[in-house]
Amino acid sequence: FAPPGRSSMTIEAGEQPVRAILIGGEPLGEHLLMWWNFVGRSHEEIVEYREAWMREIGVEEVGAGGDAAVRFGTFPEGEPAPLPAPALPNLRMTPRKR
């Protein structure tokens, strides 16, 4: 964690190559729900994102699906197959409070 306003940051990964993503910016000022690889504002959004993911990778035909747009992008040739999302927990997810 680094506070907003930093103009630089040094990250060391060690001897082996690494792929990393660094996301930054001003805090969103709202409570978010995080589950597996999905971030949303509500339980319903997470359910929608999981359904779209599973449809796009061809693992399950779930939900109504109406929109055939690609939300998550494509995978490069020669890379391992995308992982299916685990089953949703048997409870209603709520955003974590700070």
Side-chain angles (χ1 to χ4, degrees):
F1 173 78
R6 285 186 82 125
S7 60
S8 67
M9 180 180 288
T10 301
I11 299 173
E12 294 184 24
E15 300 296 320
Q16 299 297 317
V18 66
R19 289 185 189 182
I21 183 170
L22 179 64
I23 301 173
E26 293 291 324
L28 297 174
E30 60 185 302
H31 298 292
L32 296 175
L33 174 58
M34 295 179 280
W35 179 81
W36 196 59
N37 288 339
F38 309 118
V39 177
R41 291 174 182 85
S42 68
H43 175 89
E44 292 76 19
E45 280 189 348
I46 297 297
V47 169
E48 175 188 329
Y49 300 156
R50 182 189 182 278
E51 288 178 356
W53 173 255
M54 298 297 273
R55 245 189 337 271
E56 283 187 33
I57 67 171
V59 173
E60 295 177 3
E61 289 191 29
V62 290
D67 186 1
V70 174
R71 168 178 233 128
F72 298 103
T74 58
F75 287 82
E77 292 289 325
E79 291 293 320
L83 293 173
L88 289 163
N90 192 20
L91 55 86
R92 181 169 182 76
M93 296 176 281
T94 56
R96 181 171 44 169
K97 308 294 183 210
R98 288 186 189 189

